[in-house]
Amino acid sequence: MGKAHIDMTKPALIAALALVLPLAACNEQKPQMVTAEADDPQAEALKAKPKVELPPSMKASVSFRCKDNSLVFVDFFNGDKQAHLRTEKNGTFTKLTAEKAGDPMVADGYSMTGTPKLITLTQPGKPAQTCKN
């Protein structure tokens, strides 16, 4: 009985060695730590890119009656450097902008200063006038 037991283990031992020997020949290396910048070829270009300013959110949408009895519709935006002016309720708007808050917001032939309560508006071909909410 002892001999039959030894014969049964030889094939198992040979099979185990056949699996282990190729693994022993492998070069053991620790995995390299990979960073996002190392893998991103555009990382340097993105660092050099200028910061983008997101568009401001709307602060108020107001209709005004001007001194000449006309109506204008103004969308004011946070940051006080941008407004959209319409001369008809659902008409196309003119984008008015200022370099910094408090400066007049302007576009070709247009200039506007004020708040959602009261504005001073100049339009092409018209003198400056006050408009009230």
Side-chain angles (χ1 to χ4, degrees):
M1 258 190 137
K3 192 158 180 100
H5 184 269
I6 293 173
D7 288 337
M8 293 289 285
T9 58
K10 282 183 184 179
L13 181 60
I14 292 171
L17 286 174
L19 290 174
V20 173
L21 284 176
L23 293 176
C26 290
N27 184 6
E28 288 187 33
Q29 290 181 332
K30 291 183 179 179
Q32 288 183 316
M33 181 166 228
V34 178
T35 63
E37 287 183 13
D39 287 346
D40 187 359
Q42 294 183 352
E44 287 301 315
L46 291 174
K47 284 181 186 177
K49 187 176 179 183
K51 298 292 180 195
V52 174
E53 185 176 332
L54 294 175
S57 57
M58 190 181 298
K59 178 168 59 172
S61 186
V62 183
S63 60
F64 291 93
R65 174 76 60 183
C66 296
K67 187 177 178 182
D68 69 358
N69 210 28
S70 64
L71 289 174
V72 293
F73 306 88
V74 181
D75 298 326
F76 291 88
F77 292 85
N78 285 318
D80 300 323
K81 295 190 295 183
Q82 179 178 323
H84 291 172
L85 172 73
R86 288 174 279 123
T87 56
E88 297 175 13
K89 185 171 178 107
N90 295 315
T92 303
F93 67 83
T94 299
K95 182 179 177 180
L96 306 173
T97 59
E99 286 292 318
K100 61 183 181 187
D103 285 354
M105 290 182 256
V106 296
D108 284 340
Y110 293 89
S111 178
M112 185 185 83
T113 58
T115 68
K117 297 285 183 193
L118 177 73
I119 61 171
T120 299
L121 176 65
T122 302
Q123 299 178 69
K126 294 184 178 182
Q129 62 181 330
T130 58
C131 305
K132 296 180 184 180
N133 177 354

